[in-house]
Amino acid sequence: MDTARDPVSVITPQQLAARLGRTDAPLLLDVRREARFAESPRMLAGALRCAPEDVAALARTQAPREVVVYCVYGHEVGAEAAATLRSAGWPAQMLAGGIEGGEDGVDAPEDIAQWRAVALPTMPRAGGAQ
């Protein structure tokens, strides 16, 4: 089964912001590739780090729970991670626009503007990746 081709559910920054801080808030999973994670000083507040190559192992070793994954721009890395989790029975969604709120020159300008209009809470990245 090619999990990268499975349909992926997307959540907008606005929808995610409305869920944060609630008792039913989803797990946030930072799945940026190592180089992109290392060059960024921040991650979403409360997020856990999981390298993309470790997502399948996480899905096998943890009890399924609602999760929102994010990568840099909300493209293939996040989609693949969400599809992998969904194929393992996790209710997974991908954050539209990723942590950067979309990619200039790739995503539609109106989508980027909408995604970047919401400032999701971030925190300084602890001294290194897990």
Side-chain angles (χ1 to χ4, degrees):
M1 175 180 200
D2 184 357
T3 57
R5 296 189 191 282
D6 289 348
V8 174
S9 177
V10 176
I11 187 170
T12 67
Q14 293 82 353
Q15 292 167 324
L16 180 58
R19 302 269 321 271
L20 296 178
R22 294 178 12 185
T23 57
D24 66 343
L27 169 67
L28 299 176
L29 202 59
D30 185 319
V31 297
R32 291 177 283 178
R33 290 187 178 112
E34 183 58 36
R36 298 307 300 264
F37 182 75
E39 71 187 21
S40 175
R42 65 192 173 97
M43 58 193 298
L44 292 183
L48 298 178
R49 168 78 177 131
C50 184
E53 61 272 14
D54 297 333
V55 170
L58 174 92
R60 285 191 309 272
T61 59
Q62 302 289 319
R65 65 180 280 195
E66 186 179 8
V67 62
V68 172
V69 300
Y70 68 91
C71 58
V72 179
Y73 299 116
H75 296 154
E76 68 277 351
V77 176
E80 289 172 11
T84 297
L85 289 162
R86 288 177 69 82
S87 71
W90 289 56
Q93 294 181 293
M94 178 180 72
L95 179 62
I99 194 168
E100 296 297 328
E103 186 174 7
D104 293 320
V106 174
D107 293 306
E110 58 273 13
D111 289 339
I112 291 172
Q114 183 181 25
W115 296 332
R116 293 181 183 173
V118 175
L120 292 171
T122 62
M123 62 186 188
R125 188 175 62 75
Q130 256 178 244

